[in-house]
Structure formats: C-alpha cells, structure tokens
Amino acid sequence: MDDKVSIHLLLIEDDTVDALSLYDLLEKADPSGVKVSHVQRFADGLDLVHQEHFDVVLLDLSLPDTQGLDTLDQLCRFVPELPVVVLTGVDSQTTAAEALRQGAQDFLVKGSIDGQLIIRSLRYAIERHRAQGALRESQERYELAARAANDGLWDWNLHTNRIYYSPRWALMLGYSEEEIGDSPTEWFLRLHPDDVEPTRRAIAQHFKRETDHFEQEYRIRHRSGSYRWMLSRGMALYTDNGEPYRMAGSQSDITARKQTEEKLIHDALHDPLTRLPNRIFFQQQLEGTLNRFRADPTQQFAVIFLDLDRFKTINDSLGHLMGDRLLTSIAGRLERCIPPSGIIARFGGDEFAVLLPQITAVAEATRVAKHMLQAMEAPFLLHGHEIFTSGSIGIALSADNYTRTEEILRDADTAMYRAKAAGMGKYRLFDATMHIRAMALWQLETDLRRAIERDEFLIYYQPIISFKTGQLAGFEALVRWNHPDRGLLYPADFLALAEETGLLNIIDRWTIRHGAAQLREWQMEYLRQPPIFLNVNLSGSILNQSDLPDYIDAVLRETGIHPNTLRLEITEGAILREIAGINHKLAELQKLNVRLCIDDFGTGYSSLSSLHYYPINTLKIDGSFIANMNSEIGNIGIVRTIISLAHDLNLDVIAEGVETPNQMQQLQALACEFGQGVLFAQAADPSSSRQLLQQNPSWLSTAC
Ligand code: C2E
Ligand code: CA
Ligand code: CA
C-alpha cells in the first residue's frame, strides 16, 4: 500500500483519555498519515460507516452499548468489507486471540503501543483484509463454477497423501459426504481396471512436469455397481526444488457424451439393417490381422467372401422390404457358422465377408465355408413365403505377397466369381492362376474402354438369303474388334466382359448407328424390291435403357432408312431374363415400325405356346436345331413344329447356321423364308459384303 495515501480511520472508543492518547501518538508518528473520525458509542460508529468511507476500524472491545466479542461480531456482520483492529486491555490477551479467530485483523494492547506500531498494524490490516477478500472471491467464484458445471472437486495433499473430496464428488458416485473418506483409494480402487494404468501414468507425467495439467477420462464405479465415465482435470503445485506437494482439480460426469460417442462409433462401423459390422470395421480388423501375419508368418488367417445368388431377382420380385428381411435372416444364420474368434461383416448389398484371424489349416476355412453354404440350404420362411436362396463363396488365405487388405479382398472376390461360374451354392479357394485370369480380364476391360474411345470396332456383315428367290435379302451385323495387339477379335472374346462391365450398351449403340448408315448407303446404291434389310443384335441390358426407342428413332431419322428394313434381334434368353415389362418395351420399339426378331429360338426353353404373347415379327431358329436336323435325334420334327407355329402366328422364319445343301432343301420344303450360314457366306467386312451385293449371286443353284 502506498505510504503517501492517508488512512481514514474510524475509532470507536468510549474512553476519552485513551482516545486522546491515540490521537497524540498518531500525530507524532505521521501527522498526515491517518485521518481519524472518533465516536464513543458503537451505534454511532455503525451510523457513520454508512455515511462515510473508512479504510479501517479501530475498535475498543468494551463499549457502553455492547460488550466484548459481541461487538466485533456485530461489526463484522454489518460491514464485512471493513477490516477491524481491536483494542484491548493488558489483562484481556485471551479475548484478543479469540477476536483474531472471529475475523479481527489484529489487536493492539492499550498502554504498550506507539504511533508507528499502530500505523503499521492498520496498514497491514487493510492490506490483508483486501487480499483475503480477493481470495475468498476467487474461491467462491471457482466453487460456483464447479457447482454450475456439476463438477466434483478434489484436493490432494501429497505430503500426507490425503485427499479432500467435495460433497458433490461423493454424490457423483452415489455416496454422501460422510461415506467417503480422505484416502486416495476412495478414488483409485473404484476405477475400471483398464483405466487404472492410464490414469496413474497421466498423474505421473504431470508430477514430472511433462504436461502442464493433468487430464484423464476414465470409468469409475458408482455405488449402483455400474461404471460412469468421468473427466478429471487437475493441477499440481510444486516446491522450489520442483517436487509436487499438492494437486487439486475437478471431476465431471461425461457418461452421456461417452455413450453418444460410442453409439456414433458403433453406427459408423455397423450395418444398420443386420447389425453386423460393416466393411470399414472389417477392413480395420483385417488390417490388424495382416500386420500381425507380416510380423509373424505363423499367424495364418483366411478371408471368406460370400455373395448371394440371384438376390437381385428375389429383391425385385418380392419387394425391398422382404429383401431386407431375407438379408437379416441370412445374416442370422451365417453368424451362427462363425467360430467365436471370427468376424462376420456385411459389405453392403448381398455381400458378406468373414475373417478367420487365426487358422492352422486350410480345412478350417473350408469347413466354415461349407457350414455357411449348408446354413442357407433350408428355405427361409417370410410372411408365409418359402424362399430358397444360395450363396457363392470365395476364400483367400494369408500369403506373403499381400501388403494391403484390398488385395486379399480382391482375391477372395475373384475366387467367389469362379465359384459362381461353377454353378450356385459353391465355394472356391483362390489360387494364383485366378489372379492371372483376373488380371487378363482387367486388362481387357481397360482395352475395351480405350477401344470405344479410339473407335476400334467394326462390323462384319453376314448375308441372309431368301429361300424364295435364292438371293441375298439382307445382312446380320456382327461386331468385331480390331485389337491393336491381338488382331481381329470375335464377340466370344469380349462380349461377356463388355456386358458385365456395362460397356455393351455403348457397343450396341455404335453398331446400330453405323450399321444403319451402311445399310442406307447400300440401299441407295443397289435398288432392290423389297429393299435389303439389316438385322442388328441387341443385348438384354440395352433393352432396359428407357431411352432406347428414342435412340433408334434418332438413328432412323438421321439415316432416312425405312424403319421396317431395320430388324432388331433379341435372344430368347434375354427376353426370358428381362421378363418384367418386356412386352411394354417391345411394343414401344414396334411403334417405330422397326421389326423385331427373336434370336437363338429354341435354346431358352420358352414354351412354344407363349410365343404369341410377344409383339414380334420374326423368329430365328437356333443353329443347333439346323445342325441336328438330319441326325437321329429327330430335330426335323421340332424344326417343322416351330416353323408351322411361327406361320400360324404370322411370323416369318430365319434358319441360322445353314451349312449343307441338304439342310437348305429341307428348310425350303418346310417353307422357311430365310437362311443364314456358311453354306452361303460367312460374315465379311464391308467392302467384301459390298462386292457380294454387286455380284448379286443366286444360291438356289448351290442347293441343286
Ligand atoms: P448370333 O446372333 O447367333 O450370330 C450368329 C453367329 O454364328 C455369328 O458369330 C456368326 O459368325 C456365326 N455363324 C455364321 N454362320 C454360321 C454357320 O454356318 N455355322 C455356325 N456354327 N456359326 C455360324 P459371331 O459373329 O461370332 O457372333 C457371336 C454372337 O455374338 C452372336 O450370335 C451374337 O449373339 C453376338 N453378337 C455379335 N455382334 C453383336 C452385337 O453387335 N451386339 C450384341 N449384343 N451381340 C452381338
Ligand atoms: Ca443374331
Ligand atoms: Ca443366333
């Protein structure tokens, strides 16, 4: 405190002599240091403090209107902001000590004081009172904040190893204040076993001053026996030589937040439908397993990949709700096939994956796979429906060359596709040859995409002969791929993959557009009556594209060909597969006046009687029937039936794969309209086909 500033003192003293002697002492010590207001009665003093500002009170404890400590008590209560120094007689030392306990800052004994002593005492009283006020305020502030935050407080004396726990701290654990002692075990013995070590470590780190404060989340046992999540924070005080001697802090209940966090984490790692772990979770586990294997190759593991067979069909026909139920039931059955150490996850859609993190023999993996397949054999009963389903399984085993989890999953997937190709409900172990094949397929896919960009496709044309005239009536457009490295490729080399990868649509559109443009050119150049036609093959998947009619319409307009000279071939298989809404789709195409032809008829086992359902114009008998026409199997009867039925339905007929004059004669005898096959000509490039048009040969003579 600045010595220059004078102190405003309230002196409450009934004895005038004493008062005057005090005046005197002060005046001598420092004439301007203290400004004194004097009252003789306590009540007057109280009045005055409410009118004027004082820095300190000098209080005689024996006054006419109050007595002894009572006086002090009242004063402290009425004006707690004012520091008080008491004046006592020589004989009342014990009262003085009691006065200090009750809040007086100091005491002065009458008769044994000098001016300097009084002034010093007053100054210290003011200063100490102010410091105590600030401290009390900050303590109150902290306590209020802690209470508002619902925190418990603790204060650890490291010398005595005793901890003060606040009532709230105890309450958070379900105890009352009295039920909790002051030993550290009240805290540490209740911690979850997994959290003891981390908590001790965090405290030790802070004691070593490696952290600027202590902070730890842990589970602590509540009186009810359950664990609650708490966040504890604290700070230590250190002696001059760096030893911690006290640490205090707070504890807040974060159970609700932890539960939300845990749920979020759980949701992010699980499939909401089946409640199984999801792909992310699976990959995390697989990652750990792979790392362990790489560190110790005796820790073999296996990944089993299961894909449901025909799930899409089931889902489409039963509806998504039932599809979901089925998936849940399947998940339940599969789960029961997995050993306790294994993990099963749903990868999305109809795919499931199993990780067997530790196996000692391949048979352990194949056994699980067999169980999984068996588990799916019995029908699923859903809302009175009996649903049969099966899955195909691929298995990949741990191997040295794996560095990433994706590689293992990819191989399990490849093996699964091989299992699928072998028929439904089977499993296959991945082996390196599959990888080579998969790589080749992948290369082919890349090439295919490039081929589309670089226009590496071309069309070969195979003549279709009219049996009435013996002359060329039209062509079938057959796509070829002029591969930069591998030369001319046939549909068998790339169509299946193109279909699988969704690229066939693009190829088909290309064929329609280019074929139609070529047809237009030839129709203009070689006027025929009727004009020559072009048959173009459509894949099943392009039929599903809603803009197909628009596309064809655009091509017709662009080229100006007569619509009925364009014939779209759709295989019987595709029609059967795309059964949903097929008639609607065919009818839409018919509206364009193009002609529709069922290709490979007889291979799809559609019943002959169902033929009249489809809005079609032409029927193309599959080459296998023609090839066997002369054999003992008696296909001639079938061919005859097909042709006469087609005629009944007003369809014309093309016979495919006509290879011998004999076949041609028989077909003619059955009034088949058209024929196609090596007997007449193989498919050829545009310029050879043009030459053929030019020559316009008659094949009737071939038949004779
Ligand atoms: P497809 O529609 O049944 O076509 C007839 C196939 O039989 C052609 O094979 C043709 O070259 C071949 N062939 C011709 N004459 C004879 C014969 O006398 N005996 C025998 N055994 N076969 C003969 P290619 O060109 O290899 O085509 C195979 C299949 O690829 C076609 O079968 C068709 O389904 C598909 N395809 C061809 N081009 C396209 C296309 O642009 N789009 C679509 N979606 N499929 C196409
Ligand atoms: Ca065809
Ligand atoms: Ca065919």
Tab-separated table of all heavy atoms in Angstrom, residues 414-436:
chain	number	residue	atom	x	y	z
A	414	THR	N	-12.451	-62.557	-56.458
A	414	THR	CA	-12.171	-63.300	-57.703
A	414	THR	C	-12.552	-64.772	-57.546
A	414	THR	O	-13.207	-65.348	-58.421
A	414	THR	CB	-10.668	-63.186	-58.040
A	414	THR	OG1	-10.330	-61.819	-58.140
A	414	THR	CG2	-10.342	-63.895	-59.339
A	415	ALA	N	-12.146	-65.354	-56.417
A	415	ALA	CA	-12.463	-66.771	-56.186
A	415	ALA	C	-13.976	-66.964	-56.111
A	415	ALA	O	-14.517	-67.955	-56.603
A	415	ALA	CB	-11.805	-67.238	-54.888
A	416	MET	N	-14.674	-65.966	-55.526
A	416	MET	CA	-16.129	-66.045	-55.429
A	416	MET	C	-16.752	-66.064	-56.833
A	416	MET	O	-17.673	-66.826	-57.095
A	416	MET	CB	-16.635	-64.849	-54.605
A	416	MET	CG	-18.121	-64.816	-54.338
A	416	MET	SD	-19.059	-64.171	-55.694
A	416	MET	CE	-18.513	-62.480	-55.679
A	417	TYR	N	-16.217	-65.238	-57.720
A	417	TYR	CA	-16.748	-65.229	-59.094
A	417	TYR	C	-16.526	-66.569	-59.770
A	417	TYR	O	-17.365	-67.046	-60.536
A	417	TYR	CB	-16.115	-64.102	-59.918
A	417	TYR	CG	-16.923	-62.837	-59.801
A	417	TYR	CD1	-16.486	-61.776	-59.033
A	417	TYR	CD2	-18.165	-62.737	-60.441
A	417	TYR	CE1	-17.250	-60.634	-58.894
A	417	TYR	CE2	-18.940	-61.604	-60.297
A	417	TYR	CZ	-18.469	-60.553	-59.525
A	417	TYR	OH	-19.244	-59.438	-59.386
A	418	ARG	N	-15.400	-67.200	-59.470
A	418	ARG	CA	-15.146	-68.527	-60.049
A	418	ARG	C	-16.153	-69.526	-59.502
A	418	ARG	O	-16.641	-70.398	-60.224
A	418	ARG	CB	-13.713	-68.981	-59.736
A	418	ARG	CG	-12.677	-68.161	-60.470
A	418	ARG	CD	-12.907	-68.200	-61.979
A	418	ARG	NE	-12.552	-69.479	-62.562
A	418	ARG	CZ	-11.356	-69.767	-63.053
A	418	ARG	NH1	-10.410	-68.850	-63.016
A	418	ARG	NH2	-11.104	-70.953	-63.565
A	419	ALA	N	-16.449	-69.392	-58.222
A	419	ALA	CA	-17.435	-70.297	-57.621
A	419	ALA	C	-18.784	-70.092	-58.298
A	419	ALA	O	-19.494	-71.044	-58.621
A	419	ALA	CB	-17.542	-70.020	-56.122
A	420	LYS	N	-19.130	-68.852	-58.554
A	420	LYS	CA	-20.402	-68.527	-59.196
A	420	LYS	C	-20.466	-69.128	-60.585
A	420	LYS	O	-21.484	-69.693	-60.993
A	420	LYS	CB	-20.562	-67.014	-59.278
A	420	LYS	CG	-21.923	-66.586	-58.751
A	420	LYS	CD	-22.056	-65.126	-58.628
A	420	LYS	CE	-22.484	-64.862	-57.235
A	420	LYS	NZ	-23.665	-64.471	-56.799
A	421	ALA	N	-19.342	-68.992	-61.304
A	421	ALA	CA	-19.292	-69.511	-62.661
A	421	ALA	C	-19.447	-71.030	-62.661
A	421	ALA	O	-19.928	-71.619	-63.626
A	421	ALA	CB	-17.972	-69.106	-63.319
A	422	ALA	N	-19.042	-71.672	-61.569
A	422	ALA	CA	-19.135	-73.132	-61.488
A	422	ALA	C	-20.540	-73.585	-61.110
A	422	ALA	O	-20.812	-74.767	-61.004
A	422	ALA	CB	-18.122	-73.646	-60.465
A	423	GLY	N	-21.431	-72.651	-60.893
A	423	GLY	CA	-22.803	-73.009	-60.504
A	423	GLY	C	-23.046	-72.462	-59.120
A	423	GLY	O	-22.111	-72.152	-58.392
A	424	MET	N	-24.334	-72.375	-58.759
A	424	MET	CA	-24.643	-71.710	-57.499
A	424	MET	C	-24.330	-72.586	-56.291
A	424	MET	O	-24.246	-73.799	-56.393
A	424	MET	CB	-26.121	-71.348	-57.482
A	424	MET	CG	-26.446	-70.348	-58.568
A	424	MET	SD	-28.186	-70.068	-58.592
A	424	MET	CE	-28.366	-69.253	-60.156
A	425	GLY	N	-24.180	-71.951	-55.152
A	425	GLY	CA	-24.007	-72.673	-53.891
A	425	GLY	C	-22.693	-73.409	-53.775
A	425	GLY	O	-22.631	-74.503	-53.221
A	426	LYS	N	-21.613	-72.829	-54.313
A	426	LYS	CA	-20.309	-73.497	-54.232
A	426	LYS	C	-19.276	-72.565	-53.609
A	426	LYS	O	-19.491	-71.367	-53.492
A	426	LYS	CB	-19.837	-73.868	-55.636
A	426	LYS	CG	-20.715	-74.880	-56.338
A	426	LYS	CD	-19.910	-75.613	-57.376
A	426	LYS	CE	-20.559	-76.905	-57.804
A	426	LYS	NZ	-21.981	-76.785	-58.136
A	427	TYR	N	-18.142	-73.169	-53.196
A	427	TYR	CA	-17.049	-72.313	-52.749
A	427	TYR	C	-15.790	-72.639	-53.524
A	427	TYR	O	-15.638	-73.732	-54.060
A	427	TYR	CB	-16.804	-72.454	-51.241
A	427	TYR	CG	-16.147	-73.752	-50.831
A	427	TYR	CD1	-14.756	-73.875	-50.846
A	427	TYR	CD2	-16.905	-74.839	-50.418
A	427	TYR	CE1	-14.143	-75.064	-50.473
A	427	TYR	CE2	-16.303	-76.023	-50.044
A	427	TYR	CZ	-14.911	-76.143	-50.075
A	427	TYR	OH	-14.316	-77.310	-49.712
A	428	ARG	N	-14.901	-71.683	-53.659
A	428	ARG	CA	-13.618	-71.879	-54.336
A	428	ARG	C	-12.533	-71.197	-53.523
A	428	ARG	O	-12.748	-70.120	-52.966
A	428	ARG	CB	-13.635	-71.228	-55.727
A	428	ARG	CG	-14.425	-72.010	-56.762
A	428	ARG	CD	-13.665	-73.262	-57.193
A	428	ARG	NE	-14.425	-74.043	-58.158
A	428	ARG	CZ	-15.371	-74.943	-57.858
A	428	ARG	NH1	-15.674	-75.165	-56.590
A	428	ARG	NH2	-16.003	-75.601	-58.795
A	429	LEU	N	-11.367	-71.862	-53.484
A	429	LEU	CA	-10.194	-71.243	-52.858
A	429	LEU	C	-9.452	-70.460	-53.914
A	429	LEU	O	-9.312	-70.912	-55.052
A	429	LEU	CB	-9.267	-72.333	-52.332
A	429	LEU	CG	-9.536	-72.871	-50.943
A	429	LEU	CD1	-8.734	-74.140	-50.726
A	429	LEU	CD2	-9.143	-71.836	-49.906
A	430	PHE	N	-8.989	-69.308	-53.535
A	430	PHE	CA	-8.244	-68.514	-54.508
A	430	PHE	C	-6.893	-69.165	-54.787
A	430	PHE	O	-6.220	-69.648	-53.897
A	430	PHE	CB	-8.018	-67.102	-53.969
A	430	PHE	CG	-7.207	-66.264	-54.910
A	430	PHE	CD1	-7.806	-65.673	-56.011
A	430	PHE	CD2	-5.843	-66.111	-54.729
A	430	PHE	CE1	-7.059	-64.927	-56.899
A	430	PHE	CE2	-5.098	-65.363	-55.611
A	430	PHE	CZ	-5.699	-64.775	-56.697
A	431	ASP	N	-6.521	-69.217	-56.049
A	431	ASP	CA	-5.144	-69.595	-56.369
A	431	ASP	C	-4.592	-68.624	-57.406
A	431	ASP	O	-5.329	-67.858	-58.016
A	431	ASP	CB	-5.042	-71.054	-56.832
A	431	ASP	CG	-5.693	-71.269	-58.170
A	431	ASP	OD1	-5.339	-70.550	-59.118
A	431	ASP	OD2	-6.570	-72.151	-58.271
A	432	ALA	N	-3.276	-68.684	-57.582
A	432	ALA	CA	-2.606	-67.656	-58.381
A	432	ALA	C	-3.102	-67.608	-59.827
A	432	ALA	O	-3.139	-66.538	-60.430
A	432	ALA	CB	-1.108	-67.868	-58.345
A	433	THR	N	-3.505	-68.765	-60.375
A	433	THR	CA	-3.959	-68.741	-61.771
A	433	THR	C	-5.206	-67.862	-61.907
A	433	THR	O	-5.420	-67.229	-62.924
A	433	THR	CB	-4.285	-70.160	-62.275
A	433	THR	OG1	-5.278	-70.697	-61.405
A	433	THR	CG2	-3.055	-71.045	-62.303
A	434	MET	N	-5.985	-67.844	-60.847
A	434	MET	CA	-7.177	-66.982	-60.888
A	434	MET	C	-6.747	-65.530	-60.988
A	434	MET	O	-7.377	-64.732	-61.652
A	434	MET	CB	-7.996	-67.146	-59.613
A	434	MET	CG	-8.706	-68.454	-59.516
A	434	MET	SD	-9.698	-68.400	-58.031
A	434	MET	CE	-10.177	-70.108	-57.924
A	435	HIS	N	-5.670	-65.261	-60.306
A	435	HIS	CA	-5.189	-63.886	-60.328
A	435	HIS	C	-4.781	-63.506	-61.745
A	435	HIS	O	-5.109	-62.426	-62.233
A	435	HIS	CB	-4.020	-63.724	-59.372
A	435	HIS	CG	-3.524	-62.320	-59.304
A	435	HIS	ND1	-4.318	-61.285	-58.875
A	435	HIS	CD2	-2.337	-61.781	-59.640
A	435	HIS	CE1	-3.638	-60.174	-58.936
A	435	HIS	NE2	-2.426	-60.440	-59.407
A	436	ILE	N	-4.079	-64.436	-62.388
A	436	ILE	CA	-3.636	-64.157	-63.756
A	436	ILE	C	-4.851	-63.901	-64.646
A	436	ILE	O	-4.894	-62.954	-65.417
A	436	ILE	CB	-2.791	-65.343	-64.292
A	436	ILE	CG1	-1.496	-65.416	-63.477
A	436	ILE	CG2	-2.524	-65.213	-65.779
A	436	ILE	CD1	-0.709	-66.672	-63.648
